[in-house]
Amino acid sequence: MKTIIFVCHGSICRSPAAAFIARKYLKEIGREDEFNVLVRATSSEEIGNDVYPPMRKELIKRSVPLYPHAARRISQKDYDEADYIFCMDDENYYSLMRQLDNHKNIINRINKYTPGIYEIEDPWYTGRYEKVCDQITDCIHDIFANI
């Protein structure tokens, strides 16, 4: 089983949405037994917090199953045990590069296989949860078509 980690700043909006959307998609395509899907943050400010309510609402609207969640900051151990790490934007990417010894070269932006999307904006600031979920869904489909 491969471990994939989705990472964003606080792990209360984008990365849990990516993980939940990924789990739903993997089940739909019959690959759920191939991946352990985890969620982490680059910061410690939201540690222990659940998914932000407006993001929960958007995921429920899309019939995406929700899982128990408490934000956790990524660690070197997480990195060492992962096969793939996908972050949401340049800020996340550079934070991960500063925090972790990237000896396996597995840190990528979530849009690696989706060139039409530059980065996933943080809806905590913009309020555009629908747009973010649309973009994450596109990226998830492209990721699993390529790995």
Side-chain angles (χ1 to χ4, degrees), residues 10-142:
S11 188
I12 61 168
C13 289
R14 296 172 292 173
S15 59
F20 299 167
I21 291 167
R23 288 174 184 158
K24 179 182 180 193
Y25 183 64
L26 287 167
K27 186 171 185 169
E28 289 170 359
I29 64 172
R31 294 182 66 193
E32 69 269 27
D33 294 336
E34 295 178 36
F35 295 92
N36 179 30
V37 181
L38 302 176
V39 182
R40 296 292 185 266
T42 61
S43 74
S44 58
E45 61 201 61
E46 297 288 350
I47 299 305
N49 289 339
D50 200 351
V51 178
Y52 193 54
M55 181 57 81
R56 289 180 68 82
K57 183 178 177 183
E58 182 63 30
L59 293 168
I60 290 167
K61 182 176 106 177
R62 293 165 180 263
S63 300
V64 174
L66 302 177
Y67 298 86
H69 176 74
R72 258 179 77 185
R73 189 171 185 187
I74 195 163
S75 68
Q76 187 66 45
K77 182 178 187 285
D78 292 326
Y79 174 91
D80 292 338
E81 295 174 356
D83 296 288
Y84 305 97
I85 296 176
F86 290 99
C87 61
M88 303 297 142
D89 60 31
D90 287 345
E91 180 183 335
N92 303 154
Y93 180 81
Y94 295 118
S95 290
L96 289 171
M97 298 303 277
R98 282 190 306 273
Q99 292 175 38
L100 304 171
D101 172 12
N102 189 22
H103 60 276
K104 295 191 304 183
N105 197 31
I106 60 170
I107 299 171
N108 292 288
R109 291 164 188 85
I110 195 169
N111 67 332
K112 178 178 182 174
Y113 303 107
T114 312
I117 297 173
Y118 174 67
E119 66 181 15
I120 307 297
E121 69 185 49
D122 191 339
W124 193 88
Y125 297 105
T126 68
R128 295 190 291 231
Y129 295 91
E130 184 175 347
K131 175 185 177 186
V132 165
C133 284
D134 287 344
Q135 289 180 329
I136 287 172
T137 299
D138 290 345
C139 291
I140 294 297
H141 290 185
D142 292 341

